[in-house]
Amino acid sequence: MIPTVNLDDRTFDDIKNEAIRLIPRYCPEWTNHNESDPGITLIELFSWMTEMTLYRLNKVPAKTYLSMLELIGLSLTAPQSARAIIQFFPVENCNKNILIKSGTKVAAIESEKEPIIFETENSVTVRDTNIISCVNRNGENWSEVCSEGSDIHEFALFDTKNAVEHILYISSPILKYLSEGHGIQISFDSVNEITSVSDEIINHLYFEYWNGQQWQEIESLSSVSGIKKKDNVIYLKGPVDIQPCKIKDVDDLFIRAVLSDIPENYNTFFVKKITLKSIFFGEGFIPDLCISNSNGVYSVTDMNNSFMLFSENPSFNETFYISADEIFKNKNSLVKISFTFSETYVPEADNENALFAYEYWNGKDWIKLDGEKNNFTDGTFGFKQGGIVSFQIPKDISQVSINNEEHLWLRIRLITKDFAIGGNYVQNEKGTWEWHFGSRVQSPLLNKIRITYNAPVQLPQKLYSCSNFKWINLFDKTDKNKGELKLFDIEEDELPALYMGFNNKISEGSFSVYFRINEDGKARKAKDLDLEFLSLTKPKENDSRWVVLEWQCWNGEKWEKIEASDFTDSFHESGFINFIVPEGLKVASFFNKQGFWLRCVKLNGSFEKVPVIKSIIINSVYAANQDTYKNEILGSANGAPNQICNVSHPHLLPGIKLSINENSIPSNNELKIMKEEGIDQPYKETDKGIWVTYKEVPNFYNSTSFSRHFVVDYATGKIMFGDGIHGINPPKGKFNIRADEYKVGGGEKGNIAAHKIQFMTQSIPYIAGCNNPFASEGGCDMETVDSLKSRAAGVFKSLNRAVTADDFQWLSREASSSVGRAYCPKKKTKNGEIRTIIIPEIDSGSTYETKLMPSRELIRRVRNYLDDRKVVGNKIVVSAPCYRDFSIKIMLEFKSNIFDFETEKQKIKENLILFFHSLVGSNGQGWEFGKSVTVGAILKQLEKINSILSVNETQIFDIDADVSVDELSLQDDELPYLSSVMIIEKGK
């Protein structure tokens, strides 16, 4: 039985009070509104008569009522198909472009259920390429949001978190001295004159060394050990645990200079050369090896303990060898060798005649160091005291093997016959005569030997620059003409940009990329709540946006502008961007990735709020939950009025195209009428006859005897023609009624979860498969009779024109049966737009705890529907509701006859969730927009629950603000969302 629905629920009192309220407006002279006034008596009479009329009207049968609605152009809204993004995957290494034609069918298949078919809405060319890198770049800052083999994570457009690195890598063997506590002088020879400290490159660098696990900063000094500060010269001082590392396939000791800030004058980066010099601190270096030779016997000296240069009774030509290759190879450098006597050794004063020679090997012979030629000085005075021996390293010093050790050697040779001269023969106890020296013979006992030298200035062994994601061997890139090195490559005019790199070349022609934008209404400002996105028919007008974007590609020499059709409204909504890729796309390396690059540059302007991109998809296209059939003969016309025919497949969707074989061309007058009605091609002449196009209309009330119209009953799939007066009767003919194209499907069942549409109904060469990365959305069933009745009153008032706030609300509901509620705030947005907020119906299987958010497809449909009915010049925006999350904590006491406390607690939670629900809350029409949530309202609702004896405490917690409040105040466009309810029994 059809339930009774009141078309007008006004009572006698409502009508009377409304009439009295209107008296001051229409008759201000009438001031006596008492019941004794005759005018009030008349108002009561007319109110009673009107109530009786409404009572009779509310008794009209449903079928009659629907017929009356049809008279004013109202009918049940047809089912609508869900929409999904379908991504196709080419087989690996196919190296081909594969065309996926419009109408290609894919399906979601579940066990024991019929497959749900989707058809692609447009053709798409699938290319064998993938996104290998996606990077935000803004000046000298960047962020990589995906790399090869990884998914794109959610990111804010043009938002950067990391500074672009500019690093200078320097290698040299002398860096090992840092581990021994010595220092390194690094000098930058500037090309340009230094006029201020900012012109010195060292003031914009900090230095690091590799400790085996990570780069560790090392302090840079302007002066050390009394050495005065010099322009563009810094000093690094050890000891530090520097370890070798591999840079550009070179395994060596490296330090690196990192650019900390960018100088105003870019000429600071130009230098003639970089030089290094060792600075030695402390006592000096321990020799690499020391060997003594006594009477032809070699022995390695242990320098960890006190040792003698020669034997206890030294003889002529005894030698002591010292090796230090890293020092002795620095020819012409001044070397100082420090000899320290042992604390237990006391030199005798009688060894006055002991002589020593300091010699080096020149490749042919041992050559004595000369005081004049080699600046030789002996500070020990023939080892009579500890001291320093200094000399200049000869140019012809060469390696020689001593005791099978080939090194650069310095030797000290005893060149007196005896260590002392003088003495006499003395007879011993046995009567034998022996020679005794006049003084005791001693070999110097040393505690240590240390070597220092004045290191020469030298060039780095390797010099690399890693700047702006490019590695450069600076020795190869030196300007030979000018003798200049450019240390770093700085992008001077880098605008905010989004870079996308592809592993394979994108062939010329159309190329589409889908951008999924975060359109969560809660997280965005009012202006940015427009979640609508358009189909690929035309881009949205962009005149209201305050940002100018340009797409470019790399052509091998520079960034070249490319044509792009933007269906994302400058990244304000999800959608496709279609590129016309030129022929000259070239491979290039950016951000250390080799690939083919596109980028989006923000030329000027700004976003109201920065767009957040959730995903970027290529090789994809829109698909609708529908199955298309073409050129189906529906039957034969008999020339009678009100003919009816049916399509062969159920679940008909709007958009059927139909033609009749009339065997003759319509008259010129009829052709004119058809074109005025929007029929672009009135007829098509074939060898089988002349097929005349008919137009679908909602009813025949506006049809004339010349109107080639038909009406579709989507509930039954019937197609009805006119009676000759209202709509032409199709002429009699055999099989002359043809459905040129129609679609079936649609409904709520098409709203499928992500990654479910993976079956291709037909094999396509070189296509491995497909997938829907996001859930399909927008599908709704045929409107119910109750729904039509509930929105009819609003349609009466709006007359299918969106002028007032009520008009927008009612028309939004008429746009789709999936719209459960609509609200139009009184105030426009800051950009002068009329904003309509829609809340969808509760899906089957969902609970009242679900936060209701409209799909993008539903918002698109409502937006398009309102666009056709708004006043010219008005700007509209359709958005999701903005929810304020809150929770409730209640301390209460149940009545004594209640034993199942958990069940009662669950009932209380469900009661409160329904009370604050956006569709059925408050008075059954949904919680009012902007209405505050108060403790009093909660208590009033709890009073209706019989199981509660008393409520001792009630708290409201604002989850968004993270604070407890007495009243949750809402903005005009906000709704509350009860996230959780905590119930505590008193005394527990």
Side-chain angles (χ1 to χ4, degrees), residues 625-643:
N625 172 214
Q626 62 190 30
D627 204 353
T628 303
Y629 297 91
K630 296 183 178 181
N631 299 324
E632 179 180 303
I633 299 298
L634 304 183
S636 303
N638 56 17
N642 302 319
Q643 298 179 57

Side-chain angles (χ1 to χ4, degrees), residues 59 212 334 529 561 627 749 773 778 832 844 916:
K59 294 295 183 180
L334 182 65
L529 288 174
K561 180 181 178 182
D627 204 353
K749 67 179 182 179
S844 58
F916 293 107

Side-chain angles (χ1 to χ4, degrees), residues 339-504:
F339 296 91
T340 304
F341 285 176
S342 172
E343 297 86 347
T344 61
Y345 175 71
V346 179
E348 295 291 338
D350 295 330
N351 294 334
E352 295 292 337
N353 296 319
L355 299 175
F356 305 91
Y358 290 80
E359 300 172 330
Y360 72 94
W361 180 259
N362 71 350
K364 297 179 180 179
D365 200 0
W366 290 97
I367 307 299
K368 182 179 179 181
L369 292 173
D370 182 74
E372 181 177 347
K373 182 178 179 182
N374 303 111
N375 294 324
F376 176 80
T377 60
D378 182 5
T380 67
F381 301 101
F383 291 104
K384 295 180 176 60
Q385 65 181 37
I388 295 175
V389 174
S390 65
F391 60 92
Q392 196 168 4
I393 300 174
K395 294 181 180 180
D396 56 349
I397 188 170
S398 303
Q399 289 189 343
V400 63
S401 179
I402 302 297
N403 193 31
N404 296 322
E405 295 285 347
E406 188 167 348
H407 294 285
L408 296 173
W409 295 95
L410 174 73
R411 76 177 187 179
I412 305 171
R413 185 166 62 91
L414 179 63
I415 57 175
T416 52
K417 183 176 181 181
D418 296 308
F419 201 74
I421 297 179
N424 57 351
Y425 286 98
V426 178
Q427 190 176 19
N428 60 18
E429 296 175 352
K430 296 180 180 181
T432 303
W433 295 91
E434 295 178 346
W435 175 264
H436 282 207
F437 287 103
S439 61
R440 184 171 175 246
V441 176
Q442 282 185 310
S443 176
L445 181 65
L446 300 179
N447 188 38
K448 57 187 174 182
I449 299 175
R450 295 292 185 266
I451 306 174
T452 62
Y453 76 108
N454 186 13
V457 173
Q458 56 184 274
L459 296 174
Q461 189 164 311
K462 294 292 182 181
L463 188 62
Y464 297 111
S465 172
C466 179
S467 180
N468 201 20
F469 305 97
K470 298 175 184 176
W471 282 91
I472 301 173
N473 185 339
L474 291 179
F475 288 151
D476 295 339
K477 293 293 183 179
T478 304
D479 192 324
K480 304 299 182 182
N481 297 325
K482 298 181 180 179
E484 295 179 356
L485 292 173
K486 185 180 181 182
L487 301 182
F488 302 119
D489 181 21
I490 305 296
E491 292 286 348
E492 300 185 24
D493 299 316
E494 184 69 32
L495 295 170
L498 172 67
Y499 290 77
M500 293 191 300
F502 300 86
N503 60 345
N504 292 327

Side-chain angles (χ1 to χ4, degrees), residues 595-664:
F596 299 86
W597 293 86
L598 303 178
R599 74 175 185 178
C600 175
V601 181
K602 186 176 78 169
L603 299 180
N604 55 58
S606 62
F607 294 99
E608 302 91 324
K609 186 173 180 65
V610 176
V612 175
I613 298 175
K614 300 182 71 172
S615 187
I616 302 176
I617 306 295
I618 62 172
N619 294 333
S620 59
V621 66
Y622 282 123
N625 172 214
Q626 62 190 30
D627 204 353
T628 303
Y629 297 91
K630 296 183 178 181
N631 299 324
E632 179 180 303
I633 299 298
L634 304 183
S636 303
N638 56 17
N642 302 319
Q643 298 179 57
I644 297 176
C645 59
N646 292 80
V647 295
S648 302
H649 302 86
H651 310 301
L652 188 63
L653 290 172
I656 183 173
K657 298 178 181 178
L658 187 141
S659 60
I660 306 292
N661 186 359
E662 297 184 356
N663 291 318
S664 63

Side-chain angles (χ1 to χ4, degrees), residues 958-972:
D958 187 345
I959 296 177
D960 293 335
D962 196 23
V963 65
S964 293
V965 295
D966 295 329
E967 178 180 338
L968 182 67
S969 299
L970 302 178
Q971 301 292 329
D972 184 47

Side-chain angles (χ1 to χ4, degrees), residues 853-867:
M853 298 292 289
S855 66
R856 277 167 286 271
E857 180 64 17
L858 180 59
I859 292 175
R860 181 188 71 86
R861 289 173 179 170
V862 174
R863 168 65 183 267
N864 289 344
Y865 192 84
L866 294 179
D867 258 336

